[in-house]
Amino acid sequence: MLKGNNVVLIAVGDELIAGLKKEANISWLSAELMLRGQDVVAMEVIPDQEEVLVDMLDRWAGRVALIVISGGLGPTHDDRTREAIAKFLGLPLVAEKDVYDRIISRYPAELKESLERSGERQAYIPSGAQPILNPLGSALGFSIDFKGTKIFALPGVPQEFREMARVVLDFFKKDDEVCVGLCKVVGWPEIKLKDHIANIIREFPANVMFLPEPNIVTVAIKGPKHIVATLQGKLMKLMKGDILPENASSLEDAVVKLASKLNISLAFAESCTGGMVGESVTRIPGASSVFAGSAVCYSNEAKEAVLGVPREVIEQFGAVSEECAVAMARGAANIFKANCSASVTGIAGPSGGSERKPVGTVCFAVTCFQRCKSWTRHLQGDRETIRLWSNNIALEAVWRELKDLAEKSGRNEGSN
Amino acid sequence: MLKGNNVVLIAVGDELIAGLKKEANISWLSAELMLRGQDVVAMEVIPDQEEVLVDMLDRWAGRVALIVISGGLGPTHDDRTREAIAKFLGLPLVAEKDVYDRIISRYPAELKESLERSGERQAYIPSGAQPILNPLGSALGFSIDFKGTKIFALPGVPQEFREMARVVLDFFKKDDEVCVGLCKVVGWPEIKLKDHIANIIREFPANVMFLPEPNIVTVAIKGPKHIVATLQGKLMKLMKGDILPENASSLEDAVVKLASKLNISLAFAESCTGGMVGESVTRIPGASSVFAGSAVCYSNEAKEAVLGVPREVIEQFGAVSEECAVAMARGAANIFKANCSASVTGIAGPSGGSERKPVGTVCFAVTCFQRCKSWTRHLQGDRETIRLWSNNIALEAVWRELKDLAEKSGRNEGSN
């Protein structure tokens, strides 16, 4: 089973096991190594216990090409990675004072005392190991060989881990043969999408995964480069209008890129999403060239005062109504002087639902120049799920409006 | 090393290894099991490869009390968990038609055909295993014993996994002896905090972890109940004003709870956070009783038109200035008719910085009735990190203002 390019990644930390912190180091490294043609056979999260790490090393060292360990190199006594590796290899720990002094010299005077104390542990690595300088923090990393397995130990602080893991990644070039292609399909339920494209997928010797998120399913295709490209092309053709362009990593990214290209300004009016739509869009660097703003109006008074929603609309139809959504979207376009706008108003729960408008009822509107559309969705799930779906439904609507504009302007240009 | 209450959790899925999806099932279960006094010795993420799972079972079965496997029970050919367990145990797979029929009967007619086809795989479990009904999806779960180890296999769809994992959790009551206590410390750099409380912690036989997030460090204390309570009490006394109340799970939660208690309405004006502050606050159910709204004004025009920031302020001091922050906060309080407001305006990068105002320069203001404060921070990190810090700094400021109000009203009440 285990061959030359097999990799095992180990994250050490009680806080990971206790669910108090999300593991993000080895899962990131795993993705990077996969893109470089390495086979990750296991990602292991273990507690800060020397004997568990020794047991893991005993299991994998000599069987795989590479083991990378994240964490357990800090200054406190529950940091046991150094000791575990030294114990497993039967080697003493020795101080790398020179490298550690270089680390300490970077720090301001006020922190030096704590760091010098920490050096009594942090400067030590197994005898014969290569120290790896930490350019961002104070814990030393190191690498050492054992029976054909290269073992790396790197600190668990995310920025430090990623920076120092370059030493690992530099071994491997990105693999030109095997690659992963992504098709992000908007607005399809996963099970329907699977049925719809099952026949096409079956024709290709590629590994296809479906990754559902709210209102968007990522189809990930792993295989030889030319097969991935052909299959992606077929899906693009079949699903035309529902796949995000390849250069877009998310709906908000597609929206910002297309609006930039068309020189369209955007605004939002949000109630139950509470700012999520604006936050999503501004996650994209360069959003400032198209995003004017978002009015988060939670209270009815704010909907009236800030967005100019007529009081009668709220009184007659309620704040969760298409009528109110339309007035909100028009209001946002108006106060932010934007070409396109979208609004979301709904009941995210857990309370606030009624028989006629249960939790999950969300009304939307989108305006684009003179056009205006509104619609209602009945969403399932908890508060956060309903908010995420609402966010992505609003963004989908804006994306489709922008695509329409792009097609029309393309057609006009073509006919001139 | 391995004893009666040791647990190993395994998540199966190429998408997890490829970094396309974040593992959230076994890390959640791990936390739940820890609270019930179980020792999780490893969480393992492995690819959809039968032989890797067989290898894992070979390693752990018979050595630990419990193994829970998430994923690999779906209808497609890359779902190999059933086969791997049957192979490891040397048992045939048998169909549980009755249970599967109960599952199918729940579905609408349009999906039945796909499901009946899927039954050719999804209805099968190892001979002698106990089927576990899936109340939310179509994949069957099961449990089986082997040499003193109870093995559970559950589907990887998050809602289904959590629902069906109740069968596992029901074995264990929450442990009254061992517990985890959290102290969330606001506004302290981790290394300073560690030095500050090192002496107190040393006195107690508890396992203490530090979990830094932007502008907040969670001190997690695991140990016998009375020791955790005593240590928490000591920390609360020492750090008084900087620890969130025990009933608050986050800064936004503390803000919403305290504002509700004081009957104070809140508003925000956001530039670089793009809606994140509003989004954070509205994540808390019941936020509608205190949150009026947030004006996300990215463009200078929107800052003028929506928030009423005087054009001269932007011309003279720039949009990233304390003067602008003050005008934004006052504007938000004004348009949303709120008692307290906070504003954030800064340069999140990667572009937009200058020598005098580099990327990471963020200006804040907070108003509370007549009071108004403003200040500037120079934050480090990438765009998302700077935005997260900004969010939590603004929330901290509101929290501290509310605490001041609470103390004053307490004092007034006391003196009456």
Side-chain angles (χ1 to χ4, degrees):
Chain A
M1 149 195 166
L2 299 173
K3 295 164 305 176
N5 55 352
N6 275 319
V7 176
V8 166
L9 307 175
I10 302 172
V12 182
D14 284 345
E15 73 279 12
L16 303 169
I17 288 278
L20 294 167
K21 193 174 174 180
K22 291 219 169 80
E23 203 299 306
N25 290 350
I26 62 172
S27 45
W28 163 79
L29 184 60
S30 176
E32 292 293 323
L33 288 168
M34 297 274 291
L35 290 176
R36 287 165 176 81
Q38 304 302 301
D39 291 321
V40 177
V41 289
M43 294 196 285
E44 321 239 9
V45 177
I46 60 174
D48 287 305
Q49 287 173 29
E50 200 173 305
E51 66 274 24
V52 178
L53 182 50
V54 171
D55 195 74
M56 283 289 162
L57 290 169
D58 190 42
R59 168 174 180 71
W60 294 114
R63 293 176 74 203
V64 294
L66 176 65
I67 296 174
V68 182
I69 303 161
S70 160
L73 294 177
T76 54
H77 274 278
D78 56 2
D79 292 308
R80 310 299 301 171
T81 296
R82 283 175 289 260
E83 287 75 4
I85 296 177
K87 187 174 178 186
F88 170 71
L89 298 173
L91 296 171
L93 286 166
V94 294
E96 288 282 337
K97 286 287 183 209
D98 289 357
V99 188
Y100 196 66
D101 283 347
R102 276 168 66 195
I103 285 177
I104 289 190
S105 67
R106 287 199 321 257
Y107 281 82
E110 52 179 303
L111 295 177
K112 270 194 182 133
E113 204 187 321
S114 324
L115 282 166
E116 267 160 23
R117 267 202 309 278
S118 304
E120 285 166 29
R121 292 179 48 79
Q122 289 199 117
Y124 282 76
I125 65 174
S127 169
Q130 288 293 316
I132 301 173
L133 184 71
N134 185 337
L136 298 171
S138 60
L140 220 54
F142 60 86
S143 70
I144 192 161
D145 295 317
F146 174 80
K147 291 190 183 168
T149 301
K150 196 140 194 103
I151 302 171
F152 282 88
L154 303 175
V157 179
Q159 300 92 306
E160 300 172 22
F161 181 85
R162 290 196 185 198
E163 184 62 32
M164 293 165 77
R166 285 176 197 224
V167 185
V168 181
L169 295 176
D170 283 349
F171 274 120
F172 313 106
K173 277 187 255 159
K174 284 207 184 186
D175 193 318
D176 282 336
E177 281 312 302
V178 175
C179 77
V180 177
L182 306 178
C183 289
K184 290 176 178 283
V185 184
V186 182
W188 280 72
E190 185 190 3
I191 194 160
K192 284 217 150 189
L193 178 65
K194 275 186 174 166
D195 259 14
H196 190 66
I197 65 177
N199 288 333
I200 293 187
I201 287 177
R202 219 168 284 139
E203 291 171 27
F204 291 86
N207 183 2
V208 178
M209 292 170 264
F210 291 82
L211 311 167
E213 287 168 280
N215 203 33
I216 189 163
V217 178
T218 299
V219 184
I221 309 159
K222 192 185 170 195
K225 210 166 186 175
H226 66 283
I227 290 184
V228 170
T230 315
L231 181 47
Q232 265 184 308
K234 288 228 170 192
L235 289 179
M236 281 294 217
K237 210 169 157 190
L238 180 73
M239 310 287 303
K240 268 198 234 105
D242 301 325
I243 292 187
L244 294 188
E246 244 191 306
N247 67 353
S249 63
S250 60
L251 260 170
E252 52 268 24
D253 193 19
V255 164
V256 169
K257 288 207 167 90
L258 193 48
S260 293
K261 197 174 145 194
L262 299 168
N263 200 21
I264 293 286
S265 58
L266 304 174
F268 300 98
E270 309 185 46
S271 187
C272 65
T273 44
M276 195 184 275
V277 185
E279 198 273 314
S280 306
V281 168
T282 56
R283 220 178 281 153
I284 311 302
S288 54
S289 68
V290 297
F291 176 63
S294 180
V296 183
C297 293
Y298 229 55
S299 64
N300 290 349
E301 295 70 35
K303 290 184 184 77
E304 289 173 33
V306 177
L307 286 166
V309 176
R311 178 165 301 179
E312 309 81 65
V313 166
I314 296 178
E315 278 171 1
Q316 195 178 338
F317 305 102
V320 178
S321 65
E322 293 186 30
E323 289 80 0
C324 183
V326 167
M328 286 170 67
R330 286 200 198 280
N334 184 31
I335 63 172
F336 290 111
K337 298 183 182 59
N339 307 130
C340 282
S341 68
S343 66
V344 188
T345 178
I347 303 152
S351 62
S354 65
E355 206 174 320
R356 221 165 53 80
K357 293 182 184 171
V359 168
T361 307
V362 185
C363 299
F364 301 86
V366 60
T367 77
C368 203
F369 296 98
Q370 274 68 45
R371 288 167 58 156
C372 182
K373 273 187 229 169
S374 69
W375 67 102
T376 302
R377 290 286 296 267
H378 297 279
L379 303 171
Q380 305 290 323
D382 60 10
R383 182 179 176 85
E384 204 51 18
T385 306
I386 290 170
R387 280 154 49 93
L388 288 166
W389 272 88
S390 302
N391 182 57
N392 283 351
I393 290 169
L395 289 172
E396 178 193 358
V398 173
W399 179 60
R400 292 193 189 275
E401 288 296 322
L402 294 174
K403 282 207 308 166
D404 266 12
L405 278 182
E407 269 171 38
K408 273 178 205 151
S409 75
R411 239 180 282 138
N412 289 348
E413 275 170 31
S415 64
N416 282 346
Chain B
M1 149 197 169
L2 298 173
K3 295 165 303 173
N5 55 351
N6 275 319
V7 176
V8 166
L9 306 175
I10 302 173
V12 183
D14 284 345
E15 73 280 11
L16 303 170
I17 288 277
L20 294 167
K21 194 173 172 181
K22 291 219 168 80
E23 202 298 306
N25 291 350
I26 61 172
S27 44
W28 164 79
L29 184 60
S30 176
E32 292 293 323
L33 287 168
M34 297 275 291
L35 290 176
R36 287 163 174 81
Q38 304 302 301
D39 291 320
V40 177
V41 288
M43 294 196 284
E44 324 230 358
V45 178
I46 60 173
D48 287 305
Q49 286 173 30
E50 199 173 305
E51 66 274 26
V52 178
L53 183 50
V54 171
D55 195 75
M56 284 289 164
L57 290 169
D58 190 42
R59 170 175 181 68
W60 295 115
R63 292 177 75 205
V64 294
L66 176 66
I67 296 175
V68 182
I69 301 162
S70 160
L73 294 177
T76 55
H77 275 279
D78 55 3
D79 292 308
R80 309 299 299 169
T81 296
R82 282 174 288 261
E83 287 76 3
I85 296 175
K87 187 173 178 186
F88 170 71
L89 298 173
L91 296 170
L93 286 166
V94 294
E96 288 284 338
K97 287 287 184 210
D98 289 356
V99 188
Y100 196 66
D101 283 346
R102 276 169 64 195
I103 285 177
I104 288 189
S105 66
R106 286 202 319 259
Y107 281 83
E110 53 178 302
L111 295 177
K112 272 196 181 131
E113 203 188 321
S114 324
L115 282 166
E116 267 159 23
R117 268 203 307 279
S118 304
E120 285 165 30
R121 291 180 49 79
Q122 289 199 115
Y124 282 76
I125 66 173
S127 168
Q130 288 293 316
I132 302 173
L133 184 71
N134 186 337
L136 298 171
S138 59
L140 219 56
F142 59 88
S143 70
I144 192 161
D145 296 318
F146 174 80
K147 291 191 184 168
T149 301
K150 194 139 195 102
I151 302 171
F152 281 89
L154 303 175
V157 178
Q159 301 91 305
E160 299 172 22
F161 181 85
R162 290 197 186 197
E163 184 61 31
M164 293 166 77
R166 285 175 198 227
V167 185
V168 180
L169 295 176
D170 283 349
F171 274 121
F172 313 105
K173 278 187 254 157
K174 284 208 185 187
D175 192 319
D176 282 336
E177 281 311 303
V178 175
C179 77
V180 177
L182 306 178
C183 289
K184 292 178 176 283
V185 185
V186 182
W188 281 72
E190 185 190 2
I191 193 162
K192 283 216 151 190
L193 177 65
K194 275 186 174 166
D195 259 15
H196 191 65
I197 64 178
N199 287 333
I200 293 187
I201 286 177
R202 218 167 287 140
E203 291 170 28
F204 291 85
N207 183 2
V208 177
M209 292 171 262
F210 291 82
L211 311 168
E213 286 169 279
N215 204 33
I216 189 163
V217 178
T218 300
V219 183
I221 309 159
K222 190 185 170 195
K225 212 167 185 177
H226 65 285
I227 289 183
V228 169
T230 314
L231 181 46
Q232 265 184 309
K234 287 229 170 192
L235 289 179
M236 280 294 217
K237 209 169 158 190
L238 180 73
M239 311 287 302
K240 267 198 237 108
D242 302 325
I243 293 186
L244 294 188
E246 243 191 306
N247 68 349
S249 64
S250 62
L251 260 169
E252 52 268 25
D253 193 20
V255 164
V256 169
K257 288 208 167 91
L258 193 46
S260 293
K261 197 174 146 194
L262 299 169
N263 200 20
I264 292 286
S265 59
L266 303 174
F268 301 98
E270 308 185 46
S271 187
C272 65
T273 44
M276 194 184 278
V277 185
E279 197 272 314
S280 306
V281 168
T282 56
R283 219 177 283 153
I284 310 303
S288 55
S289 68
V290 296
F291 176 63
S294 179
V296 183
C297 293
Y298 228 56
S299 66
N300 290 348
E301 295 70 36
K303 289 183 184 79
E304 289 173 32
V306 177
L307 287 166
V309 176
R311 177 165 301 179
E312 309 81 65
V313 165
I314 295 178
E315 279 171 2
Q316 194 177 342
F317 304 103
V320 179
S321 65
E322 292 185 30
E323 288 80 0
C324 184
V326 167
M328 287 170 66
R330 288 200 197 279
N334 185 31
I335 63 172
F336 290 112
K337 297 185 183 58
N339 308 130
C340 282
S341 68
S343 66
V344 188
T345 177
I347 303 153
S351 61
S354 66
E355 206 174 319
R356 220 164 55 79
K357 292 182 185 172
V359 168
T361 307
V362 185
C363 299
F364 300 85
V366 60
T367 77
C368 204
F369 295 96
Q370 273 68 46
R371 285 166 63 157
C372 182
K373 271 188 231 170
S374 68
W375 67 103
T376 302
R377 289 286 297 266
H378 297 280
L379 304 171
Q380 307 289 323
D382 60 11
R383 183 179 176 84
E384 205 51 19
T385 307
I386 290 169
R387 281 154 49 92
L388 288 166
W389 272 88
S390 302
N391 182 58
N392 283 351
I393 290 169
L395 289 172
E396 178 192 357
V398 174
W399 179 59
R400 291 193 188 275
E401 288 295 323
L402 294 174
K403 282 209 307 166
D404 266 13
L405 278 182
E407 270 172 37
K408 272 177 205 150
S409 74
R411 238 180 284 139
N412 288 348
E413 275 169 32
S415 64
N416 281 347

